[in-house]
Amino acid sequence: RVESAGASDVFTPPLTPISLLTKQYAAPPAGVLQRYTDGAGAAGMSTHILLLGAPGAGKGTQSKRLAEEFGVEHVTTGDALRNNKQMDISDLGLEYDTPGEYMDAGALVPDAVVNEIVVAALADADGFVLDGYPRNLDQAEYLSDQTALDHVVLLDVPESVLVERLTGRRVCDDCGATYHVDFDPPAEDGVCDDCGGEIVQREDDTE
């Protein structure tokens, strides 16, 4: 089924577990929401779900729940980049020869590199929930050309709630696991439950 909803419309995809997690779905801007397919998401089927939303909207939390519900992979830009830090990209003729060099320098990884890494991760997955990508229209158009999506969901959260979530968010400096000082603190203060790494506050999570 093809959808062409406007940015102010509200829609509920035919996917019961999503509707249990969030009550409202505001349609993404025209061109981002291309289509979703009725009946996708049954057990054993390859399900392709994209979650969109502002930082702090809960994409990571909801993505993990959906991935567990459907038995598919949770794919994030951060994980894909960390898993491919040493990928040889010298053939692209860019400033650095690996994604890790951009990350170590604190520079943005070019779209051309992010696109290839994310699409490769999706191709290896037998069904996925994708969050953290796309981040701009060019990436959205590239994704639309590379893979078919069953469901696209935009998490619409009030700004005041986003600020509260972001200022309390903490992340593991090694594995990227996410915590919150009030809602989801680690068992040991400052230490990641998953890998034992140091938990820090990102610079962009301050007011």
Side-chain angles (χ1 to χ4, degrees):
R1 185 167 74 180
V2 176
E3 293 293 325
S4 58
S8 62
D9 293 342
V10 173
F11 70 95
T12 303
L15 191 58
T16 301
I18 291 183
S19 63
L20 292 175
L21 294 174
T22 53
K23 296 180 180 179
Q24 184 179 27
Y25 299 85
V32 176
L33 172 59
Q34 297 296 327
R35 60 185 176 276
Y36 63 89
T37 305
D38 287 332
M45 295 181 65
S46 179
T47 304
H48 299 167
I49 304 171
L50 169 63
L51 262 62
L52 300 172
K59 298 186 296 297
T61 298
Q62 304 296 4
S63 292
K64 290 177 182 177
R65 293 176 180 177
L66 289 169
E68 292 176 0
E69 175 72 26
F70 289 98
V72 297
E73 290 192 37
H74 175 204
V75 178
T76 73
T77 308
D79 287 343
L81 287 172
R82 279 187 288 272
N83 293 336
N84 292 277
K85 289 184 67 173
Q86 301 308 315
M87 174 186 287
D88 183 3
I89 57 172
S90 58
D91 60 309
L92 298 179
L94 301 172
E95 182 178 2
Y96 297 112
D97 292 334
T98 67
E101 292 178 80
Y102 283 95
M103 299 166 70
D104 293 341
L108 290 176
V109 181
D111 279 358
V113 179
V114 176
N115 290 343
E116 293 301 323
I117 289 177
V118 171
V119 168
L122 299 182
D124 290 339
D126 183 17
F128 59 79
V129 181
L130 173 63
D131 86 76
Y133 179 97
R135 293 177 180 266
N136 56 54
L137 184 56
D138 286 341
Q139 290 182 349
E141 292 174 343
Y142 180 83
L143 179 64
S144 180
D145 290 339
Q146 296 297 317
T147 188
L149 297 171
D150 298 311
H151 301 267
V152 178
V153 180
L154 176 63
L155 303 182
D156 190 14
V157 179
E159 183 177 351
S160 59
V161 176
L162 294 176
V163 172
E164 180 183 12
R165 290 179 180 177
L166 290 175
T167 55
R169 182 166 67 178
R170 301 293 186 269
V171 298
C172 175
D173 202 31
D174 291 335
C175 73
T178 304
Y179 300 89
H180 193 280
V181 293
D182 295 322
F183 310 134
D184 185 25
E188 181 179 349
D189 188 37
V191 180
C192 178
D193 293 342
D194 294 340
C195 73
E198 180 185 7
I199 294 177
V200 299
Q201 182 178 31
R202 300 189 330 197
E203 289 187 10
D204 54 350
D205 282 348
T206 57
E207 289 189 81

